Amino acid sequence: LQWSAAHVLLRGDNPYVAYLNDSHDIILTQVPNYLHLLYFVLTPLGALPFATAALVWCALNIALGIGLGVYYSRLANLRWFGTVLLVSALLCSTPFRLGLSNGQHAVFVLACATAAFVASSRPWAGAPLALVLTKYSFAPLALVLLLKRQWKPVVVASGVLIGAAIVFSVITETSLVAAVSQPFAVSKKTVGPGAADFMTALVLVSGLDHSDVLVIVTG
């Protein structure tokens, strides 16, 4: 749960610098290695005590999980029994349970991705797409829209992310160049190779260090 970074940002401080300086403000394993926009969106959680924020986040993810299950059931033209089975399978699945217990935001990002693709013909779809792009593992989804020649949401999303970075640099009194580079500096320090993912395959094929490939892919 990215509570620490949102909490630090609410004070006007830089959560990336806090982590890089080993500040005790970053608790547990709440590494702030995502883009600035996410922490602005999570500031309502950052304003709450951590225990309360965790409960609210848990409830929100369960609600989003149920909503996504129902929505995709309708897309598949499932009847009520099939919908119940699909939603139950989602809520019982290991990825969902682990994400919920760790406070991760993959379900939240999936909801944003769903909204972005459903409304991809409209420019405002760039807003939820921008939230998708804050999580680097979801970023390749933007390529799908580009291949479909739906440029407007991608352009809007880019503008939203750039705007968030500018506001972040002003609030935290950080240079824009430093503000843009700091998420990658945190990722370079903390994100290691996986076991069977696209990033790891690039590392093996290119011979580059994992952190260098991370910067190339996300930047």
Side-chain angles (χ1 to χ4, degrees), residues 105-126:
H105 57 288
V107 174
F108 174 70
V109 172
L110 178 59
C112 292
T114 301
F117 275 79
V118 168
S120 60
S121 61
R122 302 177 182 179
W124 66 261

Side-chain angles (χ1 to χ4, degrees), residues 9 36 40 161-173 176:
L9 182 58
H36 319 82
F40 284 112
L161 291 173
I162 293 171
I166 293 173
V167 173
F168 180 91
S169 69
V170 172
I171 290 176
T172 62
E173 298 181 351
L176 183 58

Side-chain angles (χ1 to χ4, degrees), residues 12-195:
D13 295 328
N14 188 321
Y16 304 115
V17 171
Y19 179 80
L20 293 171
N21 291 340
D22 298 319
S23 170
H24 294 298
D25 288 327
I26 307 298
I27 64 172
L28 303 175
T29 56
Q30 298 179 7
V31 179
N33 61 323
Y34 302 104
L35 298 184
H36 319 82
L37 176 64
L38 178 66
Y39 303 116
F40 284 112
V41 173
L42 294 181
T43 49
L45 287 181
L48 299 172
F50 175 63
T52 304
L55 290 174
V56 171
W57 186 243
C58 181
L60 176 62
N61 275 271
I62 292 173
L64 288 174
I66 294 173
L68 287 168
V70 171
Y71 175 75
Y72 283 108
S73 295
R74 290 184 176 179
L75 283 184
N77 295 318
L78 298 181
R79 297 181 182 274
W80 70 268
F81 185 69
T83 298
V84 171
L85 285 179
L86 180 61
V87 172
S88 299
L90 172 63
L91 297 180
C92 293
S93 66
T94 299
F96 182 84
R97 290 186 292 107
L98 288 178
L100 195 65
S101 64
N102 292 329
Q104 295 177 342
H105 57 288
V107 174
F108 174 70
V109 172
L110 178 59
C112 292
T114 301
F117 275 79
V118 168
S120 60
S121 61
R122 302 177 182 179
W124 66 261
L129 181 62
L131 282 167
V132 173
L133 298 180
T134 62
K135 186 172 176 62
Y136 50 83
S137 56
F138 277 73
L141 287 176
L143 296 176
V144 177
L145 292 177
L146 292 177
L147 290 174
K148 293 172 64 177
R149 296 184 179 181
Q150 294 178 325
W151 301 91
K152 289 183 179 180
V154 179
V155 172
V156 171
S158 300
V160 171
L161 291 173
I162 293 171
I166 293 173
V167 173
F168 180 91
S169 69
V170 172
I171 290 176
T172 62
E173 298 181 351
T174 306
S175 73
L176 183 58
V177 173
V180 170
S181 64
Q182 284 166 351
F184 303 109
V186 173
S187 295
K188 185 173 182 179
K189 182 178 178 180
T190 61
V191 179

Side-chain angles (χ1 to χ4, degrees), residues 35 136 139 180 184 212-219:
L35 298 184
Y136 50 83
V180 170
F184 303 109
D212 294 328
V213 173
L214 178 66
V215 171
I216 291 171
V217 172
T218 57

